[in-house]
Amino acid sequence: MRRRREEPGWLHGKPPPRWARLAPPVALVGLVFAQAATPGDIELGYFLAGLPPVAAFAYGAAGTAVFAGIVLLLLGVSSLGVGHAQGADLATVAVVALLSVVIAWVRRRRDAQLVSVRTVAEAAQLAVLPPVPDRVGPVRCAGLYRAAQRGTLVGGDLYDVRVGPYGVRALVGDVQGHGLAAVGTVAALLGAFREAVLDDPELVGVAARLDRRLLADTADTAGPASPAGSADGSGEHPELFATALLLEFPPGLDLVRILSCGHPPALLLRASTVSEVSVEPGPPLGLGLAGPDLAVVADVPLLPGDRLLAHTDGVTEARDAAGEFYPLAARVPALERDPAGLVEAVWQDLVEFTAGGPRDDVALLVLSLPEA
C-alpha cells in the first residue's frame, strides 16, 4: 500500500531547510561589507541585533549562542568599524541575544517531543490499518489510502485483505465521519472482520458480525446511565453506521462473491472496458438490519486478466472547481496504462481534478487473480 506520510514541516520537528541555516550568516557578512562600503555617518551595524532571533529558528542553543557572541563582538568593539554600541544599547542587544538562545533551546526540546509523539502516533495508526501486501493467498492486491485530516495516516475509511479457510476475503468500508474521531470505529470493524474471516463460512455472516459490532459500540457510547438511549433520557443516542463492500475469492473457483452494505459498487476492469459490478445493495452496517433476509450475495465470474477496483465515496464524490463529480469509471481506461500503478495513477489524477486533493478520506483497492 502506498500511503502519504505527512512529514512535520519546518519548525514542527523537521530539520530546517538549508536556506534557513544559510540566511543568518549570509546576512551577517552582507551587513559587515555594507557597513564598510558606506560613509561613516551612516550606521548599519544595529541591524545585526535582529539576527540572533532569526538564527534561533534555524540553529540550536549552542549555535545561536555562537552567532549572538559574534554579533555582540562586532557591535561592542568599535575598532572593528561595524558598530559603536555602548552602555544601554549594548545591554539591550545582549538581552535580545540571551532570549534568542533560550528560544532556540525551547524550540529544540519541543521539536524533539513532536518527533517522538509523531513516531508513536504513526506506529499506532499503522497497527490499526497496516499496509496491504502485494499478494494475499492467490489474490494480487494494490491499495492506496489518503486521510482527509492533515498529518494522519488513518481516517474514516478502511480496507483489509485476509486469507482464511473459506478463501481470500476483502473489506472496503467507510464509517460515519472522518479523521481521528473515526479511528476507533475503524479499528473495531477491522477486528471484527479479521475474526469473521476465520469463523464465518458465508459473507452474510461476516456482514452480520460487523453489524453487531457497530450496534454494540453504539450501545457503549449511549452509556449505562441512559436506558432510554441517551444520558439525558431523551431516547436518542449517537448512531454509528458504515457502508461496506465485502468480497470473497473462493478457493479453486474463477469468480468473486460480492456483498454490498450500502457501499458504492466496485468496477470490473476487463481488457479495455470498465463496468460497474451489478450487486443489489443492502442496508448500511450499524442499523441492525444486516442478515440473510436483506443481504444479497452476487457471484461474478472472472476471466484471466480481470481486475476489481473497489473504492470509497471520497473518490466519486470529489468535485472540481465547477462542482462536477470525479468520473472514475470514465477515467480509469486511460489511467490503467500508467506504469506507476493504477491506484497511484487514480490518486494523481484525482489531485489534479480537484486542484489539490479531495476533502474526504480516500481508499482504493485493486484485486485480481493471477492469469492462467
Side-chain angles (χ1 to χ4, degrees):
M1 177 182 64
R2 298 182 179 93
R3 189 183 303 180
R4 174 183 56 186
R5 287 176 175 261
E6 293 285 354
E7 295 295 340
W10 182 36
L11 308 183
H12 294 279
K14 184 179 180 180
R18 180 174 297 181
W19 65 263
R21 298 181 63 85
L22 292 177
V26 169
L28 175 65
V29 174
L31 286 172
V32 170
F33 278 101
Q35 180 64 66
T38 55
D41 58 339
I42 299 178
E43 184 71 40
L44 299 178
Y46 285 105
F47 285 105
L48 294 173
L51 295 183
V54 176
F57 290 99
Y59 295 90
T64 304
V66 172
F67 199 87
I70 296 174
V71 169
L72 289 173
L73 180 65
L74 292 174
L75 293 178
V77 181
S78 57
S79 60
L80 296 176
V82 178
H84 305 84
Q86 294 180 354
D89 292 336
L90 189 60
T92 301
V93 175
V95 171
V96 172
L98 179 60
L99 290 176
S100 300
V101 174
V102 174
I103 291 173
W105 180 77
V106 172
R107 182 187 63 82
R108 277 294 177 89
R109 282 182 56 88
R110 178 176 176 273
D111 286 351
Q113 292 173 348
L114 285 173
V115 170
S116 177
V117 170
R118 186 178 182 84
T119 301
V120 173
E122 288 188 354
Q125 293 179 73
L126 288 174
V128 172
L129 193 64
V132 173
D134 296 335
R135 193 180 184 106
V136 178
V139 178
R140 293 174 178 170
C141 312
L144 180 142
Y145 194 104
R146 298 290 186 264
Q149 184 170 337
R150 184 176 179 83
T152 62
L153 301 177
V154 179
D157 289 358
L158 65 148
Y159 60 69
D160 199 5
V161 184
R162 298 280 165 164
V163 63
Y166 309 106
V168 176
R169 287 173 172 173
L171 165 69
V172 178
D174 184 357
V175 307
Q176 174 191 16
H178 61 267
L180 292 176
V183 173
T185 306
V186 168
L189 282 177
L190 288 173
F193 171 73
R194 290 160 187 168
E195 291 181 359
V197 167
L198 301 175
D199 298 337
D200 294 306
E202 302 292 339
L203 277 184
V204 173
V206 177
R209 183 187 292 255
L210 299 179
D211 187 66
R212 291 196 303 272
R213 177 70 270 168
L214 286 183
L215 288 174
D217 288 349
T218 299
D220 292 342
T221 303
S226 53
S230 67
D232 57 6
S234 63
E236 299 179 356
H237 59 78
E239 291 183 342
L240 295 176
F241 64 89
T243 65
L245 194 70
L246 292 167
L247 303 96
E248 179 183 88
F249 295 85
L253 300 178
D254 292 332
L255 61 84
V256 58
R257 295 191 175 111
I258 303 179
L259 187 152
S260 174
C261 299
H263 197 79
L267 299 181
L268 176 62
L269 285 62
R270 174 171 293 170
S272 60
T273 64
V274 177
S275 60
E276 287 188 352
V277 178
S278 179
V279 179
E280 183 178 347
L285 302 172
L287 304 181
L289 301 176
D293 296 333
L294 296 176
V296 177
V297 178
D299 288 354
V300 180
L302 295 178
L303 300 178
D306 286 355
R307 287 181 292 171
L308 289 165
L309 172 59
H311 59 87
T312 56
D313 61 8
V315 179
T316 52
E317 293 184 0
R319 298 173 183 261
D320 62 6
E324 299 293 332
F325 290 110
Y326 179 71
L328 176 62
R331 291 189 177 240
V332 164
L335 298 174
E336 66 175 340
R337 294 189 292 270
D338 193 301
L342 177 59
V343 291
E344 189 65 35
V346 171
W347 170 251
Q348 294 300 330
D349 188 59
L350 187 59
V351 170
E352 295 177 5
F353 181 84
T354 57
R359 297 182 179 180
D360 196 2
D361 301 319
V362 167
L364 294 164
L365 183 64
V366 176
L367 304 170
S368 64
L369 290 173
E371 296 185 18

